[in-house]
Amino acid sequence: KTSVYEDSILDGREQMRKALREVQDALFDLPDGANQIRQSINDIESQLRYITPSGKPEARECEAMFVSLAKEVVIELPHLSTDARAVEQKVARMQRVLSRRKEIMN
């Protein structure tokens, strides 16, 4: 059985995965024009596997930022045809935040 502390560490990673799944679900409904974003999201998904659990505050900040960006992407995806650049920038920020988070070890 895991402790509350261990659960909270694992929860950050799980929140990131859940947020990314929501982005993928939103992408599912979009036309093929979203292929570049789809590819970026798939890349993020494969990178997400390599995150080690961490209780450090900076890890928490990265996790929260990632989830927040993912939620913004979900909100903006339906408007992709009019504002693709904004969505692409947010996805790029998600990638940067994820890279930073990967560097944080326990």
Side-chain angles (χ1 to χ4, degrees):
K1 189 163 168 54
T2 59
S3 70
V4 171
Y5 175 71
E6 289 169 322
D7 286 345
S8 71
I9 289 174
L10 294 172
D11 187 55
R13 292 189 318 168
E14 189 49 44
Q15 291 299 320
M16 291 174 79
R17 283 194 191 98
K18 196 169 137 201
L20 193 63
R21 275 196 302 272
E22 289 170 15
V23 172
Q24 290 169 318
D25 289 347
L27 268 170
F28 187 78
D29 298 329
L30 292 179
D32 291 342
N35 282 340
Q36 179 60 50
I37 291 173
R38 250 186 213 100
Q39 184 57 55
S40 297
I41 295 299
N42 290 340
D43 292 346
I44 289 171
E45 182 184 33
S46 61
Q47 293 298 308
L48 207 48
R49 294 186 192 118
Y50 301 106
I51 289 189
T52 55
S54 175
K56 290 184 177 173
E58 53 269 84
R60 292 276 183 217
E61 285 172 27
C62 287
E63 291 160 0
M65 173 69 80
F66 183 92
V67 169
S68 173
L69 285 166
K71 287 181 177 175
E72 290 175 30
V73 168
V74 168
I75 291 167
E76 292 177 12
L77 274 173
H79 313 289
L80 188 63
S81 59
T82 55
D83 206 2
R85 183 110 178 89
V87 175
E88 287 165 6
Q89 287 175 323
K90 286 219 169 72
V91 171
R93 283 181 61 204
M94 285 173 69
Q95 288 171 313
R96 282 200 306 278
V97 169
L98 179 59
S99 295
R100 241 187 8 241
R101 174 57 186 86
K102 278 173 52 184
E103 292 166 8
I104 301 169
M105 302 296 179
N106 211 3

